[in-house]
Amino acid sequence: MSSISEPFQLSWPTLNQQKTTASFKQQPADFRVREVLDVDDEGEGEHQWLWIKKTGANTRFVAEQLAKFAGVHPRNVSFSGMKDRNAVTWQWFSIQLPGKDTLDWQQMMLEGVEVERVIRRTKKLKTGFHKANAFTIRLRDVADTERFEQNWQALCSQGTLNYFGAQRFGFNGSNLLNGRQWISAERPAKIAKGKRSIWLSAMRSYLFNQVVAARYQQYQFMPLAGDCVMLQGSQSVFIAEQWDDELLSRLASADIQLTGPMPGEDGVGNVATDALQFETSQLAQFDDWIADFAKVRLKAARRPYRLLLQQPELMWQNQDAVISFTLPTGSFATACINELIDLAVTENDENSVE
């Protein structure tokens, strides 16, 4: 059984062991993220949607300031996903203001925040509404450009493991420790919904990383009987009882993806036979975690095991590598960067780019 006082492992093996070095995130402009979400201006409705560019600003803080400017409770402000603080990011926010004209948002003076577009819609922006994030990242002073190019080509061709980044777990694993201490109580205390979500997410993300790392070390990307697979671009899943030529072809073309567990009170979720045996054996030491998930009725889910880059590009500016790519919602760019250079993410920037 796991102990809540033990030090948590916060790094996992990468596919590529031969890396070079470079400077990462020396300034916010080195890490640019644009939410991929096209929405129409309906011209009416009680929800004012803002397309915001923020520099060095925390998503939740910006949401609170929008609420303050509009004179409403922060719960009236919605966003699809959190974006890094130490970055330049573009994302949508929506503010519910029934019966009010469109506010003059240009009058909101907030350092590092620019309202670039305002539209009206009849519905609010829901969490997870966008499907992807587009990244442009500058890695400065690359030590070995030839090695970097080789790593980049490997990353583009085979992708990487869909690890949750170290940011998810908090500074020195604080989100994990706090979550474990909270949920292990006989009757977990009532806490703020946001804090509860962060702690539970950190715990499940940790278990996912553990299983995925072990799976790759033993089987690489080879499928197992009973794997749960997800249709590309959706959350639809089914069990591959046996792998025939058609399923193998769909897997090779990335039409379907192998998945790993986001455990809940019902264990690892929709998986069977060999894959089920493997996952449950890897999580046996965390049986107490999974048992405690029942206290909050947390249901198991599945997450793609492999992370594939969309629209990857590399451009050199002297010794700086400028890379761009698009990733599905909830994936971490640091999982990709860690295949290129030695990377240690220690800041608790935000929980994710989601």
Side-chain angles (χ1 to χ4, degrees):
M1 296 296 182
S2 58
S3 166
I4 62 172
S5 61
E6 64 185 77
F8 290 106
Q9 167 194 343
L10 294 178
S11 64
W12 290 268
T14 56
L15 308 189
N16 177 25
Q17 301 303 314
Q18 295 181 312
K19 306 173 189 177
T20 183
T21 59
S23 296
F24 175 56
K25 274 192 176 183
Q26 284 196 337
Q27 57 193 50
D30 290 347
F31 195 86
R32 294 173 175 261
V33 189
R34 184 179 295 268
E35 208 167 65
V36 180
L37 176 59
D38 293 326
V39 291
D40 296 325
D41 185 356
E42 297 175 350
E44 60 181 4
E46 63 183 36
H47 298 276
Q48 301 184 24
W49 285 46
L50 313 180
W51 179 245
I52 287 181
K53 174 185 177 183
K54 62 184 188 64
T55 302
N58 177 291
T59 300
R60 284 199 173 95
F61 172 76
V62 172
E64 291 169 358
Q65 298 308 305
L66 294 175
K68 183 177 180 180
F69 179 80
V72 297
H73 193 278
R75 65 171 170 264
N76 288 54
V77 180
S78 304
F79 50 87
S80 184
M82 293 185 293
K83 301 291 182 287
D84 280 13
R85 180 179 66 242
N86 185 26
V88 179
T89 70
W90 288 261
Q91 69 180 116
W92 285 103
F93 292 81
S94 76
I95 302 91
Q96 186 176 21
L97 296 169
K100 290 190 177 182
D101 294 334
T102 302
L103 301 185
D104 184 1
W105 291 100
Q106 300 303 324
Q107 295 299 314
M108 186 185 72
M109 307 302 293
L110 185 59
E111 185 178 0
V113 175
E114 301 174 45
V115 179
E116 295 190 343
R117 186 184 176 199
V118 182
I119 63 175
R120 297 290 293 261
R121 290 177 63 86
T122 56
K123 295 182 179 179
K124 77 172 189 177
L125 174 60
K126 294 183 178 180
T127 302
F129 191 64
H130 72 297
K131 298 301 182 184
N133 292 296
F135 297 85
T136 300
I137 299 166
R138 180 183 291 270
L139 300 171
R140 296 179 180 271
D141 302 319
V142 176
D144 186 339
T145 56
E146 182 177 357
R147 170 57 62 187
F148 187 96
E149 292 262 11
Q150 293 171 354
N151 294 348
W152 173 251
Q153 292 303 320
L155 176 62
C156 291
S157 63
Q158 70 180 5
T160 185
L161 300 174
N162 197 17
Y163 288 136
F164 289 93
Q167 308 98 305
R168 173 60 56 96
F169 308 113
F171 184 72
N172 288 334
S174 59
N175 290 339
L176 282 170
L177 183 60
N178 290 334
R180 188 71 197 112
Q181 290 175 329
W182 168 70
I183 202 171
S184 63
E186 184 175 349
R187 297 184 65 181
K190 290 185 178 181
I191 58 173
K193 183 178 178 180
K195 184 179 294 185
R196 163 187 161 136
S197 176
I198 288 172
W199 289 353
L200 290 174
S201 180
M203 293 177 68
R204 296 214 293 175
S205 301
Y206 186 81
L207 298 182
F208 174 88
N209 282 11
Q210 293 287 108
V211 173
V212 164
R215 172 74 181 257
Y216 184 79
Q217 287 178 323
Q218 292 192 38
Y219 299 105
Q220 286 74 53
F221 292 120
M222 184 179 76
L224 298 177
D227 262 323
C228 177
V229 298
M230 183 176 291
L231 296 175
Q232 180 67 20
S234 79
Q235 294 297 309
S236 298
V237 297
F238 64 91
I239 293 177
E241 299 284 359
Q242 296 295 330
W243 287 89
D244 56 22
D245 289 343
E246 179 186 356
L247 283 178
L248 289 172
S249 176
R250 293 178 67 185
L251 182 65
S253 67
D255 179 53
I256 57 176
Q257 287 244 51
L258 302 176
T259 66
M262 296 288 287
E265 62 177 336
D266 45 345
V268 296
N270 196 22
V271 65
T273 58
D274 293 352
L276 175 60
Q277 182 179 7
F278 175 81
E279 292 184 3
T280 53
S281 68
Q282 293 301 318
L283 291 172
Q285 63 179 312
F286 298 100
D287 281 348
D288 51 343
W289 291 33
I290 295 173
D292 284 339
F293 289 154
K295 297 177 183 177
V296 291
R297 308 190 70 177
L298 188 64
K299 298 298 183 183
R302 305 294 298 186
R303 172 180 170 90
Y305 165 54
R306 192 176 190 174
L307 179 59
L308 300 171
L309 278 64
Q310 303 166 21
Q311 302 172 313
E313 294 184 7
L314 165 64
M315 180 176 64
W316 288 100
Q317 295 183 359
N318 298 319
Q319 288 295 114
D320 294 357
V322 180
I323 58 176
S324 62
F325 49 84
T326 298
L327 297 178
T329 302
S331 299
F332 284 73
T334 48
C336 301
I337 297 169
N338 210 23
E339 295 290 347
L340 306 172
I341 63 172
D342 287 316
L343 176 65
V345 178
T346 56
E347 80 274 15
N348 187 20
D349 209 11
E350 285 210 6
N351 282 283
S352 179
V353 177
E354 295 189 310

